[in-house]
Amino acid sequence: MSDVVLLTHEGPIGTLTINRPDKLNALNPDVLTGVSNALAECREKGTRCLIVTGAGKAFVAGADIAAMKDMKPEEAREFASLGHRVGHEMESQPFPIIAAINGFALGGGCELAMACDFAHASTKAKLGQPEVNLAVIPGFGGTQRLLRRVGVAMARELVYTGKMIGAEEAKRIGLVNDVHEPEALMPAVTKLAQTIAKKGPLAIAAAKRVILTGADEALPKANALEIDAFAGCFETADQKEGMAAFLEKREADFKGE
Ligand code: COA
């Protein structure tokens, strides 16, 4: 794996660190490919929850402006498609991904955070979609994921003004779930990951899938997806183990089977 993306594990919990601190972790094709490779490695390892964060003072300060400056439209299309593919891969993993936003999460950084299942932020975090300052628009899913997270009117305001917002405002509008003092961010997110990692992994995967796909469907179709996925849980050994453990008043031992 390239050193612009670091992947470490503690038991079933992975931490993926975007590691270009001298460029505030700006996303270029190498970083995006590194994220994609790290996701494949997590799948092979049976990761139960992944934390994504940034090295140094930024989470990710955006797509790499130096790499984009001279792009022709076809190259820009390819770059955006790569960013979208990685975002889709993040959403398609069977394990949840939590963004630990330690600093600037701008442009592609805000988009990377939104491709995670949810985000927590440090009080030092600054979020936004500043692309219009460069006379472009968000290209890694920002227009679409932002409106789904914070509503269409707030998404418009953020995208049209390119303004940066602080962590507390990001929490108020639902862009991050919670805010922590900088030194408390990773412990808080790790605790959440540990809680998730103890649950039945196939149930977590099913919940992730249904919440993601159901959100874009009309309610009757979305509810039908839930019924299918609920029934599917009863094909698993983990469901038998989970319910038996409850009735026998002991801790469940889930195998992901
Ligand atoms: N792409 C490429 N390089 C970037 C970058 C990006 N998105 N964001 C920061 N960098 C680089 C800077 O060019 C600088 O490199 P240098 O030391 O070789 O000159 C380095 O990272 C440090 O950034 P700097 O601007 O000096 O830090 P700062 O603390 O003064 O400002 C920001 C921080 C985040 C406000 C500022 O870097 C910024 O506005 N970045 C661009 C944000 C953006 O528009 N993102 C969307 C891109 S589509």
Side-chain angles (χ1 to χ4, degrees), residues 22-24 26 57 61-66 68 104 106-108 130-131 134 136 164:
D22 55 325
K23 297 292 176 193
L24 304 188
K57 74 172 181 179
D64 190 324
I65 298 167
M68 289 188 291
F104 294 111
L106 303 173
E131 288 86 350
L134 308 166
V136 296
M164 274 193 228

Side-chain angles (χ1 to χ4, degrees), residues 60-79:
V60 166
D64 190 324
I65 298 167
M68 289 188 291
K69 181 177 160 287
D70 293 324
M71 277 182 184
K72 301 200 164 54
E74 269 321 303
E75 293 166 317
R77 181 184 294 278
E78 239 173 71
F79 190 44

